[in-house]
Amino acid sequence: MRRLFHNRSTDPWEVVDCKAIEAVSAYTDDEIEDMQIVRVYSSPVHATYVFDLKNTADLRRAVVFARQKLLQEAARKEYNVFLTEGWSVTHLRKGKKHRAEVRYTARPAYAVAKKIRTPPPPFLAMLNGKEIA
């Protein structure tokens, strides 16, 4: 008797949900006035990261981590702030496995100030209450 088995490794990833935030200003007008912007990168930079997820909070952590990694890349080019920031998250599922693809977009700049606040990614609360079954 011949048996046919379903090979899960060849199954495609199913899109569960997508969230996106267009690039918005990371600082208020007052904060920008308090900074001395020395130089601004010529265009926005983008990076895409893929994360395996274990629980709900991992979606938020994935966006925060993507921001940190992109800021590290900008620091290598001697930029220390993002003037604008945006992100998109695609939540994927294959069987019981969950994955997030995070695309982070930002406009790097080099600023001088007494104290530069590092804001969290914009509108991160959109990912609150996201359930992973």
Side-chain angles (χ1 to χ4, degrees):
M1 178 186 214
R2 186 172 163 204
R3 287 186 162 178
L4 297 175
F5 292 98
H6 186 69
N7 187 353
R8 287 201 176 257
S9 65
T10 60
D11 285 348
W13 286 92
E14 170 191 357
V15 175
V16 176
D17 195 15
C18 289
K19 301 276 189 211
I21 298 297
E22 293 294 321
V24 296
S25 180
Y27 297 96
T28 65
D29 291 340
D30 291 338
E31 288 174 317
I32 290 175
E33 285 179 15
D34 291 341
M35 288 187 245
Q36 180 183 355
I37 307 293
V38 178
R39 67 182 181 281
V40 178
Y41 195 70
S42 60
S43 63
V45 293
H46 313 278
T48 302
Y49 305 94
V50 177
F51 304 93
D52 290 325
L53 304 175
K54 291 183 181 178
N55 61 49
T56 304
D58 286 348
L59 281 171
R60 295 184 71 195
R61 283 188 225 136
V63 173
V64 171
F65 185 79
R67 181 192 190 281
Q68 290 171 343
K69 292 301 280 182
L70 193 57
L71 192 55
Q72 287 173 359
E73 289 294 320
R76 287 190 194 116
K77 296 177 182 174
E78 299 181 359
Y79 294 97
N80 63 346
V81 296
F82 289 146
L83 295 180
T84 61
E85 298 181 52
W87 52 264
S88 67
V89 175
T90 303
H91 179 188
L92 305 162
R93 175 179 56 211
K94 184 195 298 189
K96 292 184 179 182
K97 295 179 182 178
H98 290 264
R99 184 173 277 181
E101 181 181 282
V102 178
R103 179 173 171 83
Y104 211 91
T105 303
R107 185 74 178 260
Y110 182 78
V112 178
K114 289 181 182 177
K115 185 176 180 184
I116 297 177
R117 178 181 70 88
T118 303
F123 302 105
L124 197 57
M126 282 182 56
L127 298 176
N128 286 351
K130 183 82 180 107
E131 294 297 323
I132 294 179

